[in-house]
């Protein structure tokens, strides 16, 4: 899948001074150090003062997302988002830097505006961000820097998940085993053990105070970060009773402590708990009352007191709901119930994970369309599917960024398995049409002066995306995207004048000239023209 260098060799040694990091590396295994050097120079070449990263403004992410009653806003403008879970986006061992760029290009081209990214710990994966207590892997953290910088260029924001209940990427069990080897401590002690909590706080402090080496902006000042999330799906099944507490009390106390700690470090970003939406005192209508009666040791209402917004996850197949319409139980008893609670507490709610295992229904689009209709009508502010990949996926083929979970929940935008894409992309379009926060800065690209052109108002989104989101008649679109918006007819694209040199990287997405984008060249059927050799390889499906 990816080529790694032999640890310790000169060829692949990660030179800290090369990237002006000034910190020693803990591991020599890297994907491609030279890629970073190229991109670092590109970031430094930006001469337009309006585009220079600074606190609160990093490329195309301008202003922090904030809760405003039951909605999100950016500088007072309504913010909505649609996207996907992409746990691997900040993991050094999975993709090269070039592949990160290809990923962000593909996600942005489909209309995704938010990704959910995981951190990593100990030896659960190669090259984790924290190999040991108090030891932070600069090489792995630079990959997270790079992912955030590339997201900012595309106007994508990210939820950063700070831990994981499940045994994945250094979950709670790994923390307890690392702290107390051979003792087989309960994973739920992650919430209560003072040593573990103190070490986790140190990691959080390090991350929040980190300065991105590519943008020069500290994480606490970076609007690309949508929110910091305490954990992925925290649970404590049966644990509260063992220590004499009510169901949900352990996690809620932990949430209160940790959200207060993060707020002491970062005044700009929202905080979420990351729980699935389980209740302790909800409706007991069968056959799925376990979701509402404290079975998993999670108290949605109590947790939400300490979060800036509510999160829920939804997996009808994994939750034992029948394929012959059993999932409709969720409509009134789950989606609406949780919305009612969140809005009664004057907080937004997002559907942070939802998905379907291949084969549960004949097509994912049936389930996804039902879910989207429900949450859209109820006023959910964001939706993130689990998961759609930027690479083609093949059923029952295991890859980290394709069929990554061994269960069949992942599908692709392209390739043999795109089932679910149609509904998800339509959902992106729905959310983007509601979003008013992404008005392109006027200083990025001047309106074209020629009679008919198809130039977008910024590099952030294509003309086709602006049309899909109904932006053609907005005042700030005057002079832009004339052909796509039907204002005029564009002549056929001639071969480009000599300009960009064909890229020599294994897989890039560079157009042959600045006159037209790769998406335009593809749409006009130019991918196989002789003069296109070496250009737009990702868009044209060459890599």
């Amino acid at each position: 899948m990816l080529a790694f260098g032999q640890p310790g060799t000169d060829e692949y040694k990660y030179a800290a001074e090369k990237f002006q990091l000034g910190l020693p590396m803990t591991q020599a295994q890297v994907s491609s150090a030279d890629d970073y050097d190229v991109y670092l120079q590109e970031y430094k070449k930006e001469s337009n003062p309006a585009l220079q990263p600074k606190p609160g403004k990093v490329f195309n992410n301008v202003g922090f997302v904030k809760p405003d009653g039951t909605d999100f806003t950016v500088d007072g403008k309504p913010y909505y988002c649609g996207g996907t879970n992409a746990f691997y986006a900040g993991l050094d061992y999975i993709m090269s830097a070039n592949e990160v760029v290809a990923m962000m290009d593909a996600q942005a081209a489909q209309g995704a505006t938010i990704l959910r990214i995981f951190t990593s710990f100990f030896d659960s994966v190669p090259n984790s961000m924290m190999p040991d207590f108090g030891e932070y892997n600069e090489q792995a953290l630079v990959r997270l820097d790079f992912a955030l910088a590339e997201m900012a260029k595309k106007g994508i924001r990210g939820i950063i998940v700070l831990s994981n209940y499940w045994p994945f990427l250094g979950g709670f069990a790994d923390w307890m085993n690392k702290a107390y080897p051979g003792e087989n401590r309960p994973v739920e002690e992650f919430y209560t053990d003072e040593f573990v909590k103190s070490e986790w706080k140190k990691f959080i402090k390090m991350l929040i105070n980190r300065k991105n080496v590519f943008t020069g902006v500290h994480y606490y000042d970076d609007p690309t970060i949508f929110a910091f999330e305490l954990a992925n799906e925290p649970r404590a099944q049966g644990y509260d009773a063992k220590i004499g507490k009510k169901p949900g009390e352990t996690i809620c106390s932990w949430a209160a402590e940790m959200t207060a700690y993060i707020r002491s470090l970062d005044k700009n970003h929202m905080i979420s708990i990351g729980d699935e939406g389980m209740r302790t005192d909800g409706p007991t209508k069968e056959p799925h009352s376990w979701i509402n009666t404290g079975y998993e040791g999670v108290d949605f209402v109590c947790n939400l007191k300490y979060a800036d917004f509510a999160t829920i996850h939804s997996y009808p197949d994994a939750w034992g709901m029948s394929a012959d319409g059993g999932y409709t139980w969720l409509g009134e008893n789950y989606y609406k119930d949780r919305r009612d609670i969140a809005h009664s507490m004057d907080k937004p709610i997002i559907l942070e994970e939802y998905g379907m295992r291949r084969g549960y229904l004949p097509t994912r689009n049936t389930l996804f369309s039902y879910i989207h209709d429900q949450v859209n009508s109820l006023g959910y502010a964001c939706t993130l599917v689990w998961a759609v990949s930027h690479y083609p996926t093949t059923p029952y083929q295991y890859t980290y960024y394709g069929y990554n979970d061994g269960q069949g929940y992942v599908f692709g935008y392209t390739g043999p398995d795109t089932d679910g894409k149609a509904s998800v992309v339509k959902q992106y379009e729905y959310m983007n049409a509601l979003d008013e926060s992404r008005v392109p800065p006027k200083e990025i690209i001047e309106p074209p002066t020629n009679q008919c052109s198809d130039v977008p108002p910024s590099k952030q989104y294509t003309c086709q995306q602006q049309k899909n989101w109904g932006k053609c008649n907005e005042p700030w679109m005057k002079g832009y995207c004339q052909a796509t918006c039907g204002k005029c007819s564009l002549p056929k694209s001639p071969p480009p004048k000599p300009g960009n040199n064909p890229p020599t990287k294994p897989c890039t997405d560079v157009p042959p000239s600045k006159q037209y984008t790769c998406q335009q060249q593809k749409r006009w059927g130019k991918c196989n023209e002789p003069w296109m050799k070496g250009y737009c390889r990702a868009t044209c499906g060459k890599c």
Side-chain angles (χ1 to χ4, degrees):
M1 180 175 61
L2 295 176
F4 291 101
Q6 184 66 30
T9 63
D10 292 337
E11 182 181 5
Y12 289 98
K13 191 173 294 182
Y14 196 99
E17 65 276 8
K18 187 174 185 180
F19 307 111
Q20 302 178 350
L21 304 178
L23 293 172
M25 303 301 106
T26 59
Q27 291 180 260
Q29 189 182 48
V30 299
S31 47
S32 176
D34 290 338
D35 288 345
Y36 285 132
D37 191 33
V38 170
Y39 288 114
L40 186 63
Q41 297 309 314
E42 286 185 5
Y43 283 104
K44 289 184 175 182
K45 285 179 182 177
E46 181 56 64
S47 58
N48 186 343
L51 297 181
Q52 286 289 347
K54 60 184 179 181
K57 183 176 182 180
V58 179
F59 302 127
N60 286 307
N61 285 331
V62 181
F64 297 94
V65 181
K66 299 285 188 179
D68 184 2
T70 60
D71 300 311
F72 294 124
T73 60
V74 175
D75 294 333
K77 298 175 182 177
Y79 174 87
Y80 291 82
C81 55
T84 186
N85 284 266
F87 73 89
Y88 52 87
L91 300 181
D92 175 81
Y93 74 100
I94 287 180
M95 296 186 296
S96 70
N98 287 337
E99 287 168 318
V100 173
V101 176
M103 173 189 182
M104 300 310 169
D105 285 345
Q107 294 290 358
Q110 296 295 334
T113 57
I114 189 165
L115 302 176
R116 186 162 172 256
I117 301 172
F118 285 37
T119 48
S120 59
F121 302 94
F122 312 125
D123 57 358
S124 60
V125 295
N127 223 28
S128 69
M129 297 176 188
M130 192 179 96
D132 205 342
F133 295 124
E135 183 180 339
Y136 308 121
N137 183 351
E138 186 66 19
Q139 175 193 336
L141 291 165
V142 166
R143 166 50 54 83
L144 183 57
D145 289 349
F146 186 66
L148 289 170
E150 287 297 310
M151 288 163 66
K153 288 169 68 175
K154 297 297 180 182
I156 297 172
R157 299 182 192 250
I159 297 172
I160 297 184
V161 183
L162 298 170
S163 64
N164 194 357
Y165 169 79
W166 302 105
F168 176 55
L169 298 177
F172 291 179
D174 289 298
W175 279 81
M176 299 312 302
N177 291 335
K178 193 75 170 179
Y180 304 101
E183 294 187 23
N184 197 28
R185 295 281 190 101
V187 298
E188 291 83 5
E189 288 190 11
F190 181 87
Y191 307 119
T192 60
D193 184 84
E194 293 301 327
F195 172 75
V196 168
K197 287 193 296 181
S198 68
E199 291 300 317
W200 189 48
K201 285 180 179 178
K202 291 176 185 177
F203 172 81
I204 292 171
K205 183 177 182 179
M206 176 278 300
L207 194 67
I208 288 176
N209 287 311
R210 179 176 176 79
K211 180 186 284 189
N212 188 307
V213 301
F214 297 98
T215 66
V217 176
H218 290 92
Y219 278 36
Y220 57 72
D221 274 334
D222 190 348
T224 304
I225 298 171
F226 175 88
F228 287 106
E229 185 160 282
L230 297 189
N232 176 52
E233 299 185 343
R235 292 184 177 189
Q237 187 185 111
Y239 183 72
D240 292 291
K242 293 178 182 178
I243 59 174
K245 294 185 176 182
K246 297 177 181 178
E249 192 174 340
T250 297
I251 292 178
C252 190
S253 296
W254 169 78
E257 177 184 354
M258 294 305 173
T259 54
Y261 178 72
I262 293 174
R263 288 191 178 98
S264 73
L265 302 172
D266 185 343
K267 308 299 183 185
N268 291 322
H269 291 106
M270 299 184 294
I271 306 171
S272 57
I273 310 304
D275 60 295
E276 299 152 274
M278 308 297 184
R279 290 185 62 181
T280 59
D281 58 351
T284 57
K285 182 180 179 181
E286 295 296 353
H288 309 292
S289 62
W290 64 272
I291 292 175
N292 288 323
T293 56
Y295 177 76
E296 293 294 353
V298 181
D299 187 339
F300 176 76
V301 178
C302 188
N303 292 346
L304 188 52
K305 294 176 184 177
Y306 305 103
D308 291 299
F309 59 94
T311 61
I312 70 166
H313 298 183
S314 179
Y315 293 97
D317 50 0
W319 292 355
M321 297 176 180
S322 66
D324 60 354
Y327 53 84
T328 60
W329 181 92
L330 292 166
E332 187 75 17
N333 298 288
Y334 189 63
Y335 302 135
K336 182 179 183 300
D337 180 76
R338 277 30 171 201
R339 186 286 308 266
D340 289 347
I341 292 170
H343 285 193
S344 72
M345 297 173 72
D346 203 30
K347 295 187 178 185
I349 184 169
I350 73 172
L351 178 58
E352 187 180 58
E353 283 189 32
Y354 64 101
M356 189 195 95
R357 183 186 293 111
R358 189 181 297 107
Y360 172 66
L361 296 178
T363 171
R364 293 187 182 97
N365 290 312
T366 300
L367 178 63
F368 289 176
S369 294
Y370 170 77
I371 293 174
H372 295 154
D373 288 346
Q374 289 288 314
V375 299
N376 291 345
S377 67
L378 291 167
Y380 281 60
C382 293
T383 55
L384 293 89
V385 68
W386 189 294
V388 56
S389 170
H390 63 293
Y391 280 123
T393 60
T394 301
Y396 307 107
Q397 177 179 330
Y398 182 93
T399 68
Y400 276 104
Y401 37 68
Y403 183 40
N404 70 312
D405 56 358
Q407 298 174 321
Y409 283 97
V410 179
F411 55 98
Y413 289 125
T414 60
D417 182 14
T418 60
D419 178 41
K421 172 191 171 182
S423 182
V424 166
V425 171
K426 184 178 179 181
Q427 178 66 6
Y428 294 168
E429 293 174 356
Y430 174 84
M431 287 299 190
N432 288 329
L434 294 175
D435 181 45
E436 297 179 18
S437 70
R438 294 176 293 108
V439 176
K442 292 297 183 182
E443 69 270 21
I444 294 183
I445 299 177
E446 290 299 319
T449 56
N450 54 312
Q451 196 167 20
C452 184
S453 66
D454 210 33
V455 177
S458 80
K459 298 176 182 178
Q460 185 176 3
Y461 301 105
T462 67
C463 285
Q464 190 61 50
Q465 287 175 306
Q466 300 289 4
K467 180 181 178 181
N468 291 345
W469 301 332
K471 305 298 184 184
C472 282
N473 294 318
E474 294 285 344
W476 46 266
M477 280 286 284
K478 184 177 180 181
Y480 298 109
C481 299
Q482 293 171 295
T484 297
C485 289
K487 310 290 186 184
C488 62
S489 297
L490 197 68
K492 292 183 178 180
S493 171
K497 298 176 181 179
N500 294 339
N501 292 323
T504 58
K505 297 279 178 193
C507 184
T508 56
D509 211 31
V510 177
S513 76
K514 296 180 180 179
Q515 188 175 9
Y516 302 109
T517 67
C518 286
Q519 284 292 337
Q520 288 173 309
Q521 300 289 3
K522 180 181 178 181
R523 191 161 58 245
W524 298 332
K526 304 299 181 182
C527 282
N528 294 318
E529 294 286 345
W531 45 268
M532 281 284 286
K533 185 177 181 181
Y535 297 109
C536 300
R537 299 185 66 212
T539 296
C540 290
K542 308 291 186 182
C543 60

